Amino acid sequence: MRDGKKSLTGQVVRFLKGSLLASMLLAVATPATAQGDDQRALKARMAGTALSWAAENGRLRQFMEEFPKGGDIHTHLRGAIYAESWIEWAAADGLCADMSVPALKHKAKESCAASGWLTAAEAQANEEHRRALINSLSNRSYVPTLNWSGHNDFFATFARINVSPKRLGDQLANVASRAGRQNIQYLELMETIILPELFPLLSGVQLSGDLAADYQMLMSGPFGQAMPTLVASARTQISAAMARKDQLLRCGTDRADVGCDVKIRFLHQVIREFEPAMVYGQFILGWALMKDEPKVLGMNLVAPEDGHVALRDYRLHMRMIDHLYNNLGPRNVSLHAGELTMGLVRPKQLTFHIREAIEVGHAKRIGHGIAIAHERDSEGLLEKMADEGIMVEINLTSNDTILGVKGKDHPLVMYRDMQVPYALSTDDEGVSRIDLTHEYMRLYTEHRVPYFELRHSARNSLTYSFLPGGSLWESEACKKDVETGAEAGAECAAFLKTSEKAQLQWELEERLRVFEDERRIPERKRTSFK
């Protein structure tokens, strides 16, 4: 009889598509102790039906924009800013525009004209120049041509961007506001806070290859002596930028921007296309920042993985991380690894980057991971990632533009099959001219993932973030409260107080409940044919 009631309820629910009566019938057909679980599951299924309707009726953007996404944990701050914002700031700050590139420039002489350039304000006011700058500072209007690939077009943009140092807070306000409008709670931003200061300290320094001895040599010289000043400078810049962000977004006032509710933390990014001493120095600085600055939660390597130095020194870079990890203490590491394809590099260079990032570089997360099928014992590596919870940061549009990998050819198909945890991210949304909503739309249309899996990706973005504290899912009491849709009980509430991560995860579950409660397929009174 119970099975018959469940069957009847399922049929009625399908016909009613989310009506109040469906919920009432479910309550009748289900034991009281399980009603909370079943109600939550029913509403999630109804949200899935609403998603299908939205995709078929031109509402996919609206659905995905409102969908709670948790966080974006693979995003470069410099690449997240749209070209128009760079141009506006350059014009306001008296920078120049070299239209022969085109690129934004700091003044090299007494005036922009003396260098043969326009002022950024002049370029902005001229529609032809403005259009050319936007295209040059992003992938907009990119078309493949001989000797110019999406890879080239993407990475060329960063050298063309120039901005006043005082705009770091403006950048944070920009991305936070955009995230807030998309129901995103958290941004883990990759940014290089300290770099020019390192050149006079490390340029020309030669390493021996003995990383222990090299560490002692660097720390006993000018670089080590400057370390307290470098860390203090980074902390001051972060504090000032966060305050500027709050000011621009009017946080704490009755006119606060939705971006005020977005939590921001940083990953120290190490630029790998330098000589070994410069890279090692960046790693060492990162270790100090992760120890002393609470807003710097982890580190990552950046710059093209197929670059000459990046390929030549890949294993050395992993050894550097390993030495610091084992001697200065564990830190959170996420690494760009396997952002490579056949043809972009030689076959032998596709076979070990992801594995060494995990086994030597101590990566808890892998960025991109496109070359996974080329890794030696790729199936074994996939099993290891699944078993150990090594998450993959999936960047669909970036992988399409830079590497030409998309759809069924994207290794996301394999990661999903092997149950490797993943989360969607944007990589460089300003350069690619996308947002996280766009990536969720793309995930649904290209891979036809069900609503429950979209929700799982959103949850993963916080579960595998580097926020401090235990995961919500480690608490049996909290798991039960989530499943039943109940308020946090005493045991769960006590756990939440111990974990910044769990607090944000709990908030995501609350947002998901609200979102799923509100999903309905609208009833149409008439059609366009009447």
Side-chain angles (χ1 to χ4, degrees):
M1 185 65 179
R2 184 173 58 187
D3 292 341
K5 283 186 179 180
K6 284 186 177 180
S7 176
L8 174 62
T9 300
Q11 294 175 37
V12 174
V13 168
R14 284 194 291 275
F15 279 111
L16 294 175
K17 293 183 177 178
S19 70
L20 176 61
L21 182 57
S23 299
M24 294 169 61
L25 283 169
L26 184 71
V28 171
T30 307
T33 55
Q35 283 183 19
D37 292 7
D38 286 347
Q39 287 281 0
R40 183 84 197 270
L42 170 62
K43 289 177 179 178
R45 289 195 296 272
M46 288 158 54
T49 302
L51 169 59
S52 298
W53 181 91
E56 293 167 3
N57 291 274
R59 307 300 198 283
L60 186 58
R61 173 71 200 191
Q62 293 95 317
F63 185 98
M64 289 302 190
E65 186 169 279
E66 295 175 12
F67 173 69
K69 302 170 189 65
D72 188 347
I73 59 175
H74 183 117
T75 175
H76 303 263
L77 180 57
R78 193 173 182 88
I81 306 300
Y82 271 66
E84 292 89 334
S85 296
W86 293 125
I87 297 168
E88 289 172 3
W89 295 332
D93 296 339
L95 272 62
C96 309
D98 178 0
M99 297 310 301
S100 67
V101 179
L104 298 174
K105 299 280 190 178
H106 289 284
K107 287 180 184 177
K109 299 181 180 179
E110 64 273 11
S111 69
C112 296
S115 297
W117 303 332
L118 300 175
T119 66
E122 290 171 334
Q124 182 185 36
N126 181 297
E127 189 56 37
E128 182 177 346
H129 293 329
R130 178 178 175 274
R131 183 168 57 249
L133 274 171
I134 293 172
N135 292 343
S136 185
L137 300 179
S138 73
N139 292 141
R140 193 182 80 165
S141 302
Y142 161 70
V143 177
T145 57
L146 181 64
N147 295 325
W148 194 251
S149 65
H151 174 285
N152 296 339
D153 200 67
F154 180 90
F155 286 110
T157 61
F158 298 99
R160 300 168 182 166
I161 297 168
N162 277 284
V163 65
S164 168
K166 71 179 182 181
R167 293 293 182 176
L168 182 57
D170 298 62
Q171 295 173 52
L172 298 182
N174 187 296
V175 297
S177 182
R178 186 189 308 141
R181 293 194 300 272
Q182 299 173 78
N183 209 353
I184 298 169
Q185 300 165 253
Y186 177 62
L187 295 173
E188 209 163 82
L189 299 170
M190 284 177 271
E191 176 65 358
T192 303
I193 304 292
I194 300 288
L195 186 64
E197 301 93 325
L198 300 182
F199 288 104
L201 302 173
L202 295 168
S203 292
V205 176
Q206 298 296 315
L207 300 187
S208 67
D210 179 338
L211 294 175
D214 289 333
Y215 176 81
Q216 294 300 327
M217 181 266 293
L218 290 175
M219 293 305 293
S220 63
F223 170 74
Q225 295 166 16
M227 184 64 68
T229 301
L230 296 173
V231 172
S233 174
R235 298 192 67 181
T236 298
Q237 291 181 60
I238 290 171
S239 178
M242 294 292 280
R244 170 69 173 166
K245 181 263 297 181
D246 289 348
Q247 177 189 14
L248 289 171
L249 298 183
R250 303 179 299 276
C251 299
T253 75
D254 56 5
R255 296 172 55 241
D257 186 275
V258 67
C260 293
D261 294 329
V262 176
K263 184 182 290 289
I264 291 177
R265 294 294 182 265
F266 297 92
L267 299 185
H268 172 78
Q269 62 178 17
V270 173
I271 301 173
R272 56 173 136 209
E273 275 289 285
F274 293 119
E275 290 304 306
M278 187 69 176
V279 174
Y280 202 19
Q282 290 179 83
F283 279 138
I284 295 168
L285 174 60
W287 240 256
L289 277 173
M290 288 183 277
K291 177 178 179 290
D292 294 334
E293 172 49 61
K295 289 185 174 62
V296 178
L297 301 183
M299 61 136 286
N300 207 323
L301 269 172
V302 301
E305 195 176 338
D306 60 294
H308 168 63
V309 174
L311 290 173
R312 183 195 71 190
D313 293 346
Y314 188 86
R315 284 187 157 130
L316 174 61
H317 294 161
M318 296 304 106
R319 288 177 49 229
M320 289 174 176
I321 298 170
D322 183 55
H323 177 78
L324 297 176
Y325 194 95
N326 289 320
N327 290 277
L328 299 186
R331 300 286 190 272
N332 292 319
V333 178
S334 177
L335 292 174
H336 288 69
E339 193 181 1
L340 304 167
T341 57
M342 180 73 75
L344 184 63
V345 295
R346 290 173 288 175
K348 70 177 184 178
Q349 291 160 332
L350 297 167
T351 61
F352 64 91
H353 281 206
I354 299 173
R355 183 178 291 278
E356 290 211 0
I358 294 169
E359 295 182 351
V360 183
H362 302 275
K364 297 179 180 179
R365 304 194 316 239
I366 294 295
H368 302 284
I370 296 298
I372 185 67
H374 297 272
E375 290 272 339
R376 297 189 185 95
D377 184 21
S378 60
E379 292 292 317
L381 181 55
L382 286 162
E383 290 178 2
K384 177 183 179 69
M385 294 173 72
D387 291 343
E388 297 181 9
I390 308 296
M391 197 199 79
V392 183
E393 302 154 353
I394 297 294
N395 306 285
L396 295 174
T397 296
S398 172
N399 299 152
D400 184 5
T401 301
I402 298 173
L403 301 175
V405 176
K406 63 180 178 179
K408 65 181 181 181
D409 296 325
H410 196 286
L412 175 60
V413 176
M414 187 163 25
Y415 288 124
R416 292 176 68 204
D417 176 63
M418 296 295 290
Q419 300 183 47
V420 175
Y422 75 88
L424 285 186
S425 43
T426 55
D427 199 13
D428 297 83
E429 61 185 332
V431 176
S432 296
R433 302 186 74 81
I434 57 164
D435 56 17
L436 192 56
T437 297
H438 177 276
E439 298 302 273
Y440 271 88
M441 293 170 65
R442 187 161 187 165
L443 178 64
Y444 179 76
T445 56
E446 289 188 1
H447 296 274
R448 304 306 296 179
V449 301
Y451 174 78
F452 285 90
E453 189 171 338
L454 295 176
R455 192 172 69 173
H456 194 60
S457 172
R459 285 170 167 169
N460 280 346
S461 68
L462 298 182
T463 301
Y464 293 91
S465 75
F466 291 151
L467 284 165
S471 168
L472 183 73
W473 311 113
E474 296 172 9
S475 165
E476 291 300 322
C478 287
K479 282 172 62 177
K480 181 179 179 181
D481 292 341
V482 167
E483 290 166 0
T484 60
E487 295 293 322
E491 186 178 347
C492 178
F495 176 77
L496 294 178
K497 289 180 180 179
T498 69
S499 172
E500 186 177 351
K501 176 185 288 187
Q503 290 166 21
L504 217 58
Q505 290 176 295
W506 183 265
E507 181 185 332
L508 173 61
E509 296 307 313
E510 291 180 332
R511 293 190 185 198
L512 285 166
R513 278 194 290 270
V514 171
F515 177 80
E516 291 165 1
D517 283 347
E518 296 175 349
R519 292 317 98 189
R520 296 292 184 272
I521 297 177
E523 179 183 350
R524 293 300 185 218
K525 302 296 185 183
R526 61 185 176 82
T527 73
S528 59
F529 299 103
K530 294 181 181 179

